[in-house]
Amino acid sequence: MTALTNTNILLGITGGIAAYKTPDLVRKLKAQGANVRVVVTESAKAFVSPLALQGVSGNTVSDDLLDPAAEAAMGHIELARWADLLLIAPATANTMAKLTHGLADDLLTTLCLATSAPIVLAPAMNQQMWAASATQANLEVLRARGVSFLGPDQGEQACGDVGPGRMMEPEDIAMALAETRQIQQTLSGKTVVITAGPTREHIDPVRYMSNHSSGKMGFAIADVAQKMGANVKLVSGPVNIDFPEVSHIDKVNTAQEMLDAVMNQIDDCDIFIGCAAVADYRPTESVDHKIKKSNIELTLTFVRNPDILATVAANENAPFTVGFAAETQNVAQYARDKLQRKKLQLIAANDVSQKDIGFNSDQNALTVYWADGEQSLPKSSKSEQAKQLLEIIIERYNNEQN
Ligand code: C5P
């Protein structure tokens, strides 16, 4: 039994050279226990034979919206309903553009509009076409609508170019699908805004005040929430790690910029998770020129930064608000105090005095508190902590909605 066992996968193949790999992709999906039906576009047929795809899938290949015989056998609406998942591999730049605009000028694009199943794209195209601003803008729109992407991979391309644009290998696509199916789509249709990383507060044009936050915990939460089907909007301070694939990313520096970015996203937000280590203070004066060495002592004065979490929680239509508490002592007491004072629904606390967890570490051990309960999560990877934390958040969130 795998996560794809008995999953109905509708595989859409569009016209790119990587289409020649799709009979192998069908075999790999079937090897994981999936039922596969194939839809090809007109141009895909130039690269792969429908007869070969029929042979490996065990089902008739569909290619025409207006074919009376095919419609009588399994009509397009029926096919759209049959699918648990619609995978387009390879997905060309043209298909991405059509999906962005909701075109329905062939069977595959019609199915994309007619299905309620999650849509996953494995793009394949020349690296310049992938980098083109139109394609990147389409990618952002599709992601924001909840479409997931696998790849593209880096490497040598059929045209001789080298760069991102190769379709992920069939085996990797099948594995990645199985992995995402393992995570229940419990946040489907929800918008989750997450802050992560440190903030930098400028002292002068070359110096700043910051902290040791790596962004790892917030990024892990963003990654898992997106895989649970949420529309994740990540607001990140400056970090040195790879960004997760989420619907929207805002990169900011200061606490004020972070607050502005969060408030821009807050209107349609269902759950807000403040994971960032926001600097509590910033220098009172923003100096335009580098401060020169002169006296033995230098005195800087600071003013309080806005509290992003408390501002969100105090909002008239406040989302379900989750905070973090990084403490070095009296963890439970400080966390509960913060929960009440900032009017949060839930707070996740960790003891940052323990060297093997917390800041910069790949591991963590959170204790989660809410008004009438608490739960400690045993030490594990930040991505496992993220999964368990989100499960608690979802349970509490659903409780509040009922
Ligand atoms: O009060 P303290 O800084 O310990 O609270 C930590 C929690 O508050 C974290 O969730 C952090 O993201 C949030 N916070 C904030 N804005 C601040 C300070 C903290 O959102 N200015």
Side-chain angles (χ1 to χ4, degrees), residues 16-19 21 90-93 96 122-132 135-136 150-159 161-169:
I17 177 69
K21 296 181 179 177
T92 57
M96 281 178 60
M125 65 196 73
N126 163 270
Q127 53 85 23
Q128 195 65 49
M129 291 174 77
W130 175 251
T135 307
Q136 290 300 310
L150 296 174
D153 279 351
Q154 295 267 349
E156 203 170 305
Q157 307 199 296
C159 53
D161 278 10
V162 176
R166 282 173 63 91
M167 187 177 83
M168 248 169 99
E169 291 303 325

Side-chain angles (χ1 to χ4, degrees), residues 195 274-280 305-309 323-325 327 338 342:
T195 64
C275 196
V278 186
D280 292 322
N305 263 331
D307 190 308
I308 300 168
L309 195 56
F324 269 74
E327 306 292 350
K338 235 167 257 182
K342 299 197 186 194

Side-chain angles (χ1 to χ4, degrees), residues 162-186:
V162 176
R166 282 173 63 91
M167 187 177 83
M168 248 169 99
E169 291 303 325
E171 171 118 45
D172 297 335
I173 293 177
M175 298 277 283
L177 283 184
E179 213 176 278
T180 49
R181 293 294 294 181
Q182 240 145 19
I183 297 179
Q184 300 269 314
Q185 299 289 294
T186 34

